[in-house]
Amino acid sequence: MLMILAMGLYAFSMSITPGPVNLIIFSGGMNRGIHATLPFILGATVGFSLLLLATGLGLGWVVQQHKWLVYSSTVIGCGFMMYLALQLFKSESSVGQTTGMQSGWWTGLMLMWLNPKAWLAAIAGNSLFIEPSQISKLFAFVLIYSLVCFACLLMWAVFGKQVSSHISNNQYVHWLNKGAAVVIVAMCIIVLIDLVT
């Protein structure tokens, strides 16, 4: 029971903290509402669950043995996140608007596989909780993490929706979108600088 609690707390701490995925979900909840953001949330949850399972089954070890995989996936991931941030920055979304930057199921799934934070969370989580050949424990960890991850990402969408309900001026939403985009780009730049130093 304590192990399940520890896994849940780890999943919560990694899923609730701000990151590119959370900021995109926040913006989606603010601009398009929870229902329209749900496909992205589901895609991100499935994407991370598959990543956690794959790293637990050995992909994490392979990546750690070949540093060029870490570098290339980080650069590609940051490039993709910067592309999404640019779309968010250029979007003319307003409260309740369904146009602008559309982030669906596949985008959420791909972003998790290209997100350096997701890779670190998956590899570190498996290192903490899963011993080699503990397949049943790995599946339990993936299930717990999936449920917690989905709940945390959904909270970001709800938070975005709540913010939009208190904003009557679309100009504020416009600047919040731009601010979220700048933060995503700044995160990517920090990751890339850390990669080369």
Side-chain angles (χ1 to χ4, degrees):
M1 187 64 181
L2 283 177
M3 184 59 73
I4 292 173
L5 180 61
M7 288 176 174
L9 288 173
Y10 176 80
F12 179 79
S13 68
M14 296 306 289
S15 301
I16 200 69
T17 51
V21 174
N22 305 57
L23 290 175
I24 291 169
I25 291 169
F26 169 79
S27 178
M30 185 175 60
N31 294 305
R32 299 187 317 275
I34 298 166
H35 182 60
T37 310
L38 205 51
F40 182 86
I41 293 170
L42 289 169
T45 302
V46 170
F48 185 81
S49 300
L50 293 173
L51 179 62
L52 185 62
L53 181 62
T55 54
L57 292 174
L59 183 60
W61 180 85
V62 171
V63 168
Q64 288 175 315
Q65 299 305 308
H66 301 283
K67 293 299 181 191
W68 66 271
L69 285 173
V70 175
Y71 295 136
S72 59
S73 64
T74 300
V75 170
I76 292 168
C78 284
F80 184 63
M81 284 186 275
M82 285 184 176
Y83 166 76
L84 291 177
L86 180 63
Q87 301 307 307
L88 181 59
F89 190 85
K90 294 190 312 186
S91 71
E92 296 297 329
S93 298
S94 58
V95 176
Q97 185 174 338
T98 57
T99 59
M101 184 187 149
Q102 299 292 324
S103 298
W105 195 89
W106 283 106
T107 305
L109 188 137
M110 285 179 13
L111 187 55
M112 280 302 190
W113 277 77
L114 296 172
N115 184 350
K117 178 188 170 190
W119 278 91
L120 288 173
I123 292 171
N126 279 310
S127 298
L128 278 172
F129 298 110
I130 310 300
E131 296 292 328
S133 75
Q134 290 184 321
I135 301 300
S136 61
K137 194 173 180 184
L138 173 62
F139 279 107
F141 184 40
V142 171
L143 177 63
I144 291 165
Y145 207 120
S146 299
L147 296 172
V148 173
C149 179
F150 177 79
C152 290
L153 297 182
L154 187 61
M155 280 193 268
W156 276 94
V158 170
F159 178 49
K161 182 64 177 169
Q162 289 300 311
V163 167
S164 74
S165 69
H166 296 292
I167 295 176
S168 58
N169 187 341
N170 287 334
Q171 192 65 24
Y172 293 135
V173 175
H174 177 75
W175 286 109
L176 278 171
N177 285 338
K178 290 191 182 303
V182 168
V183 170
I184 292 169
V185 170
M187 287 179 191
C188 290
I189 290 170
I190 291 168
V191 168
L192 292 173
I193 290 171
D194 188 54
L195 191 67
V196 297
T197 56

